[in-house]
Amino acid sequence: MAAKLKPNPSDHLLILIVVFLIAIDSFVPSTAEFSSSKWYLISTEHWVGPERLGPIFVYCGNEGDIAWFAANTGFVWEIAPQFGAMVLFPEHRYYGESMPFGSGEEAYKNASTLSYLTAEQALADFAVLITELKRNFSAEGCPVVLFGGSYGGMLASWMRLKYPHIAIGALASSAPILQFEDIVPVETFYDLTSNGFKRESISCFNTIKQSWDVIISEGQKNDGLLQLTKTFGFCRTLNNTDDLINWLDSAYSYLAMVNYPYPSEFLMPLPGHPIREVCRKIDSMAGDNILEKIFEGISVYYNYTGKVDCFELDDDPHGMDGWNWQACTEMVMPMSSSQDSSMFPTFDFDLSSYKEECLREFNVEPRPRWITTEFGGHDIKATLQKFGSNIIFSNGLLDPWSGGSVLQNISESIVALVTKEGAHHIDLRASTDEDPEWLVEQRTTEIKLIKSWINDYYRQKRAVFEI
Amino acid sequence: MAAKLKPNPSDHLLILIVVFLIAIDSFVPSTAEFSSSKWYLISTEHWVGPERLGPIFVYCGNEGDIAWFAANTGFVWEIAPQFGAMVLFPEHRYYGESMPFGSGEEAYKNASTLSYLTAEQALADFAVLITELKRNFSAEGCPVVLFGGSYGGMLASWMRLKYPHIAIGALASSAPILQFEDIVPVETFYDLTSNGFKRESISCFNTIKQSWDVIISEGQKNDGLLQLTKTFGFCRTLNNTDDLINWLDSAYSYLAMVNYPYPSEFLMPLPGHPIREVCRKIDSMAGDNILEKIFEGISVYYNYTGKVDCFELDDDPHGMDGWNWQACTEMVMPMSSSQDSSMFPTFDFDLSSYKEECLREFNVEPRPRWITTEFGGHDIKATLQKFGSNIIFSNGLLDPWSGGSVLQNISESIVALVTKEGAHHIDLRASTDEDPEWLVEQRTTEIKLIKSWINDYYRQKRAVFEI
């Protein structure tokens, strides 16, 4: 390694700019933009400041508008006061307002402009943002704790592992970091979703399982698509039955994810125990018309308020479109639907056709082994037993993503918190009067663990924890 | 997070390709290329194979031809047989034969093509290569141990920290991972180099320290540059005294790095204790002509064989040109030369002029805080005390890079091995009959530690270490 830079004078002028650096740097706000930045939400309301080494709570923004996640992550806001913590919600690049290349249209133009939409870039963005922000607040000594749910939880755990100098710990809720390659069975996701319905009602499960054939044979009739369009109340005539099947499939999966014990509005306005409600509708409808039963049931998800006149197939109210690109590059999560235990159409994951779809859609080839190469996953217990610390993997077993998550303690300080009746990152939601006892206990444990990380850090800094 | 990919059919064809993915993928050899790859050297001669979980020793290629590093890292080759280990030397992209975009000319064309020359990309390349190679050898269960010297040592330690699922430990020799921002005093490098001369001879130190003014005033005379060209025997007439000063500065720094106790040919063919020899020449020459003394001394470095007819200013025999780009982007290592303790021209590191040089040379702006953001460095002891494991930071205090390295144990298994008389990664060199006792002991300790990592791994795998 040469001792120092000694550039040789060069004759030729280089006019091209380095897009990579700009793409990262564009995320870094200047001091002046602090209060009005589009790219993150920040609250210093309860922060005890840099002198007292007030903690900084960072939610790792995932695939959607950051305001949406902030509104659905009440836990972080609720506990900030007792920790005297700053709260920071940085948005993931390419989602919400955080568009490189000047606009969403430019950012999503083609595979070249989209190539900076990766988990690694998101982590680097968070790292740069936190570092700059701490400098600007003279808060270099303040401990950072990461939070995240779902893909955001994956980012939180990966960030703690890759950037231990930036964050002292992470609460990774419903983070399926093992949902890659063959680490968990490919049937897991749809089996768990199906179980969520089966546990409510076998007949509900069976009705749904039978409905796919009915839809397909209905679609093959003369005017069948028109008839299906009417039955399900779409605004536009269906082009094929696949669109309808995907629309239903999505709803069932999302219902399993948000199967909370109280009313919520995370993905859609829903009653408490929404699967129970769906099955009640399906089961209680008289007669043999399976499709009418299905419509009654699915309306709980798509039209609980009763205000929807007709349904659009490709709504994206939370700006989650970029996930398809991520799924076509890094986030290849193989999923099959088994004939026996799943209520979904039987489906075997096939990498070749997956690749074809991605080439057609984005002109990009997926890299199914990249995530485990970059972040690990195989033999995670052996790898992390003597490596890393301070991560909570929290999961509710009703959540279909729990199957691809860490459900066992890895070491003394990389721990799994599992609740039998929990759904998708329910622990991160704001507390309610209807919270069951197990949820209150889970959050108490999380607070205790986070406190212990911070106290360890303070002990190391020889500061006293007096907030 | 949506359950699975459901691409919408798209009308427009995207014709642009994703350079980022290609740049990484281009490094990954197909199975057919295994034996004849240009990008890495491999030996399975002593490997006991996958059934016996034979270890894989990987040297993290740094800024030069990989064959050159392989030839100067005899330690790895020598210990491979007793470990039954495979040996792998992957080359760093943009060095040696490992050129993206088809050729060195294309790769180095401008800031855009050069933008993939980063430490993170190099680590990702190694990760992909090792993972693919293990698959091809059915060696997924075999433990990987990393080695590296200088920048290669930085890569080895960072790789262990960032990719614990890929490597179980790292020997990072002379790895100045703390030579960034203000983590160590900016004068360290030149002070240590100067001390290497001072300890041999005060008069030698003083002659060198006085020589800079003499060179500058000589250069200001009529025909001064021509006279300096003659005195120092350059092939072409000097354009300015700066070039001469840099030429001498480099040689002194490199001499301090390779100040080995026996003859070597790492950077140049040199006698044992080369600084002693340089100073002997400088001190023993009669008369007052400082420049003639300097020429005699420096000839030990540039012409020890006596075969050089005239000197070229910008030789790059080991293909290290890319380092200037790295120094202009990520690898900003601030260095000053103090008036009192350094024998070099007084020089204060100035980020603005550093930036200007980089903009002129590469049209790129350096990011002086990026490395510590990405890899850490500040408060390294606190950060890594309960995070990470199995890293040896070995350093010799004669090496000027030791000042920016880890010289104290961080935890039970992240340890510092420091030798008073060692120079730049001397422990990685092949053993010789002239090896001093401390060097033999240092290598014995290293072997013992590496064995303990592998044994721990085997114990975990419930395999028996019977090689």
Side-chain angles (χ1 to χ4, degrees):
Chain A
M1 195 154 52
K4 66 169 187 181
L5 172 78
K6 297 183 204 77
N8 303 314
S10 167
D11 290 338
H12 51 283
L13 271 174
L14 305 173
I15 53 161
L16 281 164
I17 52 164
V18 185
V19 181
F20 179 79
L21 303 180
I22 284 177
I24 280 191
D25 282 340
S26 69
F27 200 89
V28 185
S30 72
T31 316
E33 288 174 312
F34 258 30
S35 51
S36 64
S37 169
K38 288 181 218 158
W39 304 299
Y40 58 86
L41 306 174
I42 187 168
S43 165
T44 54
E45 189 186 345
H46 300 287
W47 191 42
V48 295
E51 295 80 13
R52 293 173 65 191
L53 299 180
I56 301 172
F57 287 175
V58 179
Y59 179 91
C60 297
N62 34 317
E63 75 287 19
D65 302 328
I66 195 61
W68 176 46
F69 293 117
N72 281 280
T73 312
F75 178 65
V76 174
W77 300 100
E78 284 179 5
I79 66 171
Q82 64 179 287
F83 282 92
M86 183 194 298
V87 174
L88 180 66
F89 273 74
E91 193 165 62
H92 193 300
R93 59 162 67 192
Y94 288 83
Y95 292 101
E97 306 286 314
S98 299
M99 293 298 168
F101 302 109
S103 71
E105 203 183 347
E106 285 298 309
Y108 277 76
K109 203 170 176 184
N110 55 43
S112 179
T113 59
L114 275 166
S115 64
Y116 305 97
L117 169 46
T118 70
E120 300 83 58
Q121 290 281 11
L123 295 181
D125 288 340
F126 299 157
V128 169
L129 176 69
I130 294 169
T131 306
E132 289 284 312
L133 214 113
K134 287 176 88 168
R135 280 178 67 87
N136 278 287
F137 279 108
S138 303
E140 286 92 339
C142 296
V144 171
V145 177
L146 304 168
F147 298 81
S150 194
Y151 170 49
M154 296 159 72
L155 293 174
S157 66
W158 290 337
M159 180 127 194
R160 167 60 185 155
L161 289 173
K162 296 276 192 185
Y163 296 87
H165 49 289
I166 288 184
I168 64 163
L171 168 53
S173 183
S174 303
I177 60 168
L178 307 180
Q179 190 77 48
F180 296 94
E181 296 177 48
D182 57 354
I183 302 177
V184 298
V186 286
E187 300 84 8
T188 297
F189 184 91
Y190 285 113
D191 279 1
L192 286 174
T193 304
S194 303
N195 285 343
F197 287 77
K198 201 189 263 173
R199 75 197 278 272
E200 294 296 347
S201 148
I202 292 278
S203 70
C204 174
F205 172 92
N206 285 331
T207 306
I208 294 170
K209 197 173 168 72
Q210 288 157 20
S211 69
W212 313 110
D213 283 348
V214 179
I215 288 169
I216 288 165
S217 71
E218 189 72 21
Q220 284 165 344
K221 293 180 186 165
N222 280 346
D223 286 335
L225 290 171
L226 200 64
Q227 194 52 49
L228 285 170
T229 303
K230 277 187 196 162
T231 306
F232 285 92
F234 289 110
C235 307
R236 273 171 273 242
T237 309
L238 287 166
N239 289 322
N240 52 63
T241 47
D242 275 0
D243 287 352
L244 171 58
I245 290 170
N246 286 338
W247 186 73
L248 294 168
D249 173 322
S250 286
Y252 297 137
S253 305
Y254 282 137
L255 277 161
M257 286 160 61
V258 297
N259 197 13
Y260 303 133
Y262 48 72
S264 69
E265 302 204 356
F266 178 35
L267 298 165
M268 291 282 190
L270 288 173
H273 299 290
I275 290 183
R276 188 169 300 164
E277 187 65 15
V278 169
C279 284
R280 204 179 57 78
K281 293 274 186 186
I282 287 177
D283 288 346
S284 65
M285 190 153 180
D288 294 334
N289 193 322
I290 284 185
L291 295 189
E292 282 178 9
K293 291 178 187 219
I294 293 296
F295 176 70
E296 278 302 302
I298 213 71
S299 293
V300 172
Y301 182 75
Y302 282 119
N303 192 17
Y304 187 62
T305 59
K307 290 183 186 158
V308 180
D309 291 330
C310 61
F311 298 109
E312 296 284 355
L313 272 174
D314 45 6
D315 261 3
D316 181 24
H318 307 301
M320 298 194 288
D321 241 3
W323 187 254
N324 278 354
W325 164 265
Q326 292 195 258
C328 265
T329 48
E330 302 179 323
M331 296 294 165
V332 182
M333 298 175 159
M335 287 183 189
S336 296
S337 170
S338 68
Q339 197 167 1
D340 294 337
S341 46
S342 161
M343 68 181 195
F344 291 92
T346 306
F347 172 80
D348 281 329
F349 179 77
D350 173 52
L351 188 59
S352 314
S353 58
Y354 192 96
K355 276 186 183 173
E356 273 169 37
E357 283 184 349
C358 291
L359 280 167
R360 199 167 51 234
E361 169 83 342
F362 295 111
N363 200 29
V364 76
E365 193 158 328
R367 300 198 298 158
R369 284 201 285 273
W370 171 246
I371 285 291
T372 61
T373 302
E374 177 65 15
F375 297 112
H378 297 285
D379 288 323
I380 192 167
K381 190 156 182 175
T383 300
L384 297 186
Q385 202 151 48
K386 288 187 177 179
F387 190 101
S389 55
N390 298 0
I391 303 177
I392 301 168
F393 289 102
S394 69
N395 280 284
L397 294 182
L398 292 190
D399 178 14
W401 289 114
S402 65
S405 302
V406 176
L407 300 175
Q408 292 186 331
N409 290 352
I410 285 174
S411 67
E412 209 177 309
S413 72
I414 304 184
V415 299
L417 292 185
V418 180
T419 56
K420 209 177 135 214
E421 299 289 319
H424 206 44
H425 48 74
I426 187 170
D427 50 335
L428 293 186
R429 301 187 62 76
S431 59
T432 73
D433 293 341
E434 297 146 281
D435 288 344
E437 190 53 37
W438 57 260
L439 180 54
V440 176
E441 273 172 27
Q442 179 183 14
R443 291 193 182 123
T444 307
T445 307
E446 288 169 356
I447 291 168
K448 211 176 101 190
L449 287 167
I450 294 166
K451 274 203 175 132
S452 76
W453 303 340
I454 294 173
N455 282 334
D456 274 356
Y457 175 84
Y458 286 153
R459 255 194 299 277
Q460 231 178 13
K461 284 262 168 195
R462 280 167 210 191
V464 185
F465 188 51
E466 297 174 329
I467 293 157
Chain B
M1 194 156 51
K4 66 169 187 181
L5 171 77
K6 298 185 202 76
N8 302 315
S10 166
D11 289 337
H12 51 283
L13 272 174
L14 306 173
I15 53 160
L16 280 165
I17 52 167
V18 186
V19 182
F20 178 79
L21 302 181
I22 284 179
I24 279 192
D25 282 342
S26 70
F27 200 89
V28 184
S30 73
T31 317
E33 288 174 314
F34 258 30
S35 51
S36 64
S37 170
K38 287 183 222 158
W39 304 300
Y40 58 86
L41 306 173
I42 188 168
S43 166
T44 55
E45 191 187 343
H46 300 287
W47 192 42
V48 296
E51 295 80 13
R52 294 173 66 190
L53 297 182
I56 300 172
F57 287 176
V58 179
Y59 179 93
C60 297
N62 34 318
E63 75 288 19
D65 304 326
I66 196 62
W68 175 48
F69 293 117
N72 282 280
T73 313
F75 178 66
V76 174
W77 300 98
E78 285 178 4
I79 67 171
Q82 64 178 288
F83 283 92
M86 185 196 295
V87 174
L88 180 67
F89 274 75
E91 193 166 63
H92 193 299
R93 58 163 66 193
Y94 289 81
Y95 293 100
E97 306 285 315
S98 300
M99 293 298 167
F101 301 108
S103 72
E105 203 183 347
E106 284 299 308
Y108 277 78
K109 204 169 174 182
N110 55 44
S112 179
T113 60
L114 274 167
S115 65
Y116 306 97
L117 169 46
T118 69
E120 300 83 58
Q121 290 280 10
L123 295 180
D125 288 339
F126 299 158
V128 170
L129 176 69
I130 293 169
T131 306
E132 288 283 313
L133 213 113
K134 287 176 89 168
R135 280 179 68 86
N136 277 286
F137 279 108
S138 303
E140 286 91 342
C142 297
V144 170
V145 177
L146 304 168
F147 297 82
S150 193
Y151 170 48
M154 296 159 71
L155 293 174
S157 66
W158 289 337
M159 179 126 195
R160 167 62 184 154
L161 289 172
K162 294 274 191 185
Y163 296 87
H165 49 288
I166 289 184
I168 64 163
L171 169 53
S173 183
S174 302
I177 59 168
L178 307 180
Q179 190 76 50
F180 295 93
E181 296 176 48
D182 57 354
I183 303 177
V184 298
V186 286
E187 301 83 8
T188 297
F189 184 91
Y190 285 113
D191 279 2
L192 285 174
T193 304
S194 303
N195 284 344
F197 287 78
K198 201 189 260 172
R199 74 197 278 272
E200 294 296 347
S201 149
I202 294 279
S203 71
C204 174
F205 172 94
N206 284 332
T207 304
I208 293 169
K209 196 172 169 74
Q210 289 157 21
S211 70
W212 313 110
D213 283 348
V214 179
I215 289 169
I216 288 163
S217 73
E218 189 70 22
Q220 285 165 344
K221 291 181 186 167
N222 280 346
D223 287 334
L225 290 170
L226 200 64
Q227 193 53 49
L228 285 170
T229 303
K230 276 187 196 163
T231 305
F232 285 91
F234 289 110
C235 307
R236 275 171 269 242
T237 308
L238 288 166
N239 289 324
N240 52 63
T241 48
D242 275 359
D243 287 349
L244 172 57
I245 289 169
N246 286 340
W247 186 73
L248 294 168
D249 174 320
S250 285
Y252 297 136
S253 304
Y254 281 136
L255 277 161
M257 285 160 63
V258 297
N259 196 14
Y260 302 134
Y262 48 71
S264 69
E265 301 204 357
F266 179 35
L267 298 166
M268 292 283 192
L270 288 174
H273 298 290
I275 291 184
R276 188 168 301 162
E277 188 64 15
V278 169
C279 283
R280 204 180 56 79
K281 292 276 188 184
I282 288 177
D283 288 347
S284 64
M285 190 154 179
D288 294 334
N289 193 321
I290 283 185
L291 295 189
E292 282 178 9
K293 290 178 188 218
I294 293 295
F295 176 70
E296 279 302 302
I298 213 70
S299 294
V300 171
Y301 182 76
Y302 282 119
N303 191 16
Y304 187 61
T305 60
K307 289 182 186 158
V308 181
D309 290 330
C310 63
F311 299 108
E312 296 285 356
L313 272 174
D314 46 6
D315 262 3
D316 181 24
H318 308 300
M320 299 194 289
D321 243 4
W323 187 255
N324 280 353
W325 164 264
Q326 292 195 258
C328 265
T329 48
E330 302 180 322
M331 298 294 164
V332 182
M333 298 175 158
M335 287 183 190
S336 296
S337 170
S338 68
Q339 197 165 4
D340 294 337
S341 46
S342 161
M343 69 182 195
F344 291 91
T346 306
F347 172 81
D348 282 330
F349 179 78
D350 174 51
L351 188 58
S352 314
S353 56
Y354 191 96
K355 276 187 182 173
E356 273 170 35
E357 283 184 349
C358 291
L359 280 168
R360 199 167 51 234
E361 168 82 344
F362 295 110
N363 200 29
V364 75
E365 193 158 329
R367 300 198 298 160
R369 284 200 285 273
W370 170 247
I371 285 291
T372 60
T373 302
E374 177 66 15
F375 296 112
H378 296 285
D379 288 323
I380 192 167
K381 192 159 180 173
T383 300
L384 298 185
Q385 203 152 46
K386 287 187 177 180
F387 189 101
S389 55
N390 299 358
I391 303 176
I392 302 167
F393 290 102
S394 69
N395 281 283
L397 295 183
L398 292 189
D399 178 14
W401 289 113
S402 66
S405 303
V406 176
L407 300 175
Q408 291 187 332
N409 291 350
I410 285 174
S411 68
E412 212 177 308
S413 72
I414 304 183
V415 298
L417 292 184
V418 180
T419 57
K420 210 176 132 214
E421 298 289 320
H424 206 44
H425 48 74
I426 187 171
D427 50 336
L428 292 185
R429 301 187 62 75
S431 59
T432 73
D433 293 341
E434 297 145 279
D435 287 345
E437 191 54 38
W438 57 260
L439 181 54
V440 177
E441 275 172 25
Q442 180 184 12
R443 291 193 182 123
T444 306
T445 306
E446 288 169 357
I447 292 167
K448 212 176 100 189
L449 287 167
I450 293 166
K451 274 202 174 130
S452 76
W453 303 340
I454 294 174
N455 282 335
D456 275 357
Y457 175 84
Y458 285 153
R459 254 193 299 277
Q460 229 177 14
K461 284 262 166 193
R462 282 168 208 189
V464 187
F465 187 50
E466 297 174 329
I467 294 158

